[in-house]
Each structure stands twice: as C-alpha cells, then as structure tokens.
Amino acid sequence: MSDQLRPRASLRTAVVWEVLRDALERRAKATGREALDVLDTGGGTGNFAVPVALLGHRVTVVDPSPNALFALERRAEEAGVADRVRGVQGDILGLFEVVDRGGYDAALCHGVLEYVDDPAEGVRNAVDALRPSGALSLLGAGLGGAVLARALAGHFAEARQALTDPAGRWGDGDPVPRRFTAAQLTGLVADAGVEVGAVHGVRVFADLVPGVLVDTQPGAMEELLKLEAAVAELPAFHSVATQLHVLGEKRP
C-alpha cells in the first residue's frame, strides 16, 4: 500500500488501518455500494478520515477543536478529497446535535473514550449513529501497556498505582485521563448493541523498542510491523498493548 493510503504510515496506526480497510471493504460488499458513509468521531486532523476518503468513501469528522478541523480541511484539499470529507464541530456526547442517528455504514471512535466523562454513553452514541449491521471501530488506551512502560522506566510505584487506580492512571502527572482493559472495552461495546468481531493489541512492542534500533537497522521497521501484525489478535499480548482496538458490527 502507498504511504498516501496508510494513515501516517507508522507503527502507531498500521495495524488499525489494515483492519479498518478490510472492514470497510467487507461492508461495501455487503451493502452493494462502493461509497460508504463513514463517521469519524474525534477524528481531528484526518489521520484516518483522509485515507478513508481516498478509498472512495464519504467521511464526516466530528471534533471539538476548530484548529483540528481547519487542518482537516486543508489536508483533504491537498489529498484531492475535499468533496468527500466534511468537518463538523462537536463531540461524541453531543453527537446528535450535529449528525443524524442511523445515518452511517461505519463509525470510528479512536482515542475518544479516554477523555469523555461517560465512556458508555459515548459508545452508545457511536452505535446509534450506525445503520443496522454497521461497523464500529473503537480504539482506546490500554491499561497493561502503561503499567509495563512505567515499570520498565523504573517507576515501580507509578506502575502499581496505574494497576490499582480505577481509571488506570499512574499519578497526577499522567496525561491520559482513563485507560481500559480488553474486557472493559468489549463490555462497553457489547452493552451498546454491537457484536464483537475482533480485538487487537496495538503498539505491543513499538513503544518499547528503542527508536535508534528501528532507524539504524536495515529492514527493522518492516520486521517490527510484521511482528505487531502477528501478535495483534493474540489475547496473551492484549494485556501489555499500549492501545486496544475493538472491531464489531451493530446488531440488526
């Protein structure tokens, strides 16, 4: 795949992008329509929205930041998909003030639940925006990855704090308001009326491997990408992933 069609072409998004692209392809075949209506909640500057539009789909991005939406507009224009990307200011808890219920074939909720007051309501809104059998792509911060990272950095008390804190935070200086286990995320999705299809661990190794090794060793980046893809669906690695991705389908 070209870099243009892979969001940021990086370790941070590669696994999710491959899964999402395949899900959109399956959804298009199921509906018999080449162009899907896709909702990207908290989509920011278009890391996923623009590549999804490049596949031929129509994307509505809902984000609270005017600056992010301005950058999205510019990015979409540069990519030649301005006619397929629409930015709307808003957030997932007030989603239906700016978009219609039941109007989308797929919904992305990436990096959103960590920051909202009521994650369950956020998931319900994303699901309510879907048409029957619509696809949900949910990405959230993983608890285990944070615990492992703090421990490997020598911050053992903070690692223990994250492990026992109800929100998965390692201290007052933690920039992430909330983290999740795979069971918590799949529970939220199932309760909202979605049949869970797959769970993926994201950035299992990428945040732990020294950057100099990846940058200086020939072929290291590609091999690390292959390793990330190989372990993404193995439950044993979900508990140490920096992020967790849940893919599901709205129950008819």
Side-chain angles (χ1 to χ4, degrees):
M1 180 191 306
S2 68
D3 285 352
Q4 193 179 30
L5 284 180
R6 174 181 286 159
R8 292 169 55 197
S10 73
L11 287 167
R12 293 179 178 272
T13 56
V15 169
V16 178
W17 173 245
E18 297 298 336
V19 172
L20 176 62
R21 186 186 60 166
D22 290 346
L24 292 174
E25 184 177 339
R26 291 194 303 272
R27 193 77 205 112
K29 288 181 179 178
T31 61
R33 290 185 283 112
E34 292 184 1
L36 300 175
D37 295 304
V38 179
L39 175 67
D40 189 353
T41 63
T45 61
N47 285 342
F48 281 90
V50 169
V52 168
L54 282 165
L55 295 177
H57 305 303
R58 296 177 292 269
V59 188
T60 298
V61 176
V62 177
D63 196 279
S65 169
N67 291 336
L69 292 174
F70 177 77
L72 167 70
E73 182 179 353
R74 184 176 60 214
R75 190 174 191 172
E77 288 178 355
E78 292 174 351
V81 293
D83 60 329
R84 294 198 292 273
V85 176
R86 179 173 72 103
V88 182
Q89 188 171 2
D91 62 58
I92 198 168
L93 296 187
L95 188 60
F96 300 114
E97 297 173 10
V98 294
V99 303
D100 294 331
R101 294 178 185 270
Y104 297 90
D105 301 294
L108 282 58
C109 183
H110 295 172
V112 173
L113 298 186
E114 298 93 320
Y115 300 96
V116 299
D117 293 333
D118 189 342
E121 182 183 352
V123 175
R124 286 196 300 270
N125 284 352
V127 174
D128 286 346
L130 289 170
R131 293 167 179 152
S133 300
L136 175 69
S137 175
L138 181 70
L139 184 67
L143 171 62
V147 174
L148 182 60
R150 300 316 289 174
L152 291 178
H155 303 298
F156 306 120
E158 292 179 351
R160 189 175 67 253
Q161 170 69 17
L163 192 60
T164 58
D165 184 77
R169 290 169 53 83
W170 48 255
D172 293 338
D174 193 336
V176 179
R178 186 181 291 105
R179 294 185 178 87
F180 304 90
T181 64
Q184 288 171 332
L185 282 181
T186 55
L188 288 172
V189 167
D191 289 346
V194 168
E195 189 71 33
V196 176
V199 180
H200 305 90
V202 180
R203 290 155 56 189
V204 175
F205 304 108
D207 292 346
L208 303 176
V209 176
V212 65
L213 294 180
V214 178
D215 296 336
T216 59
Q217 297 294 325
M221 174 67 78
E222 286 302 317
E223 290 302 322
L224 184 51
L225 280 168
K226 291 177 183 178
L227 179 60
E228 289 280 352
V231 303
E233 289 194 61
L234 300 178
F237 291 93
H238 294 168
S239 59
V240 293
T242 300
Q243 292 180 311
L244 294 164
H245 180 243
V246 178
L247 184 70
E249 183 177 293
K250 183 176 181 178
R251 299 188 188 103

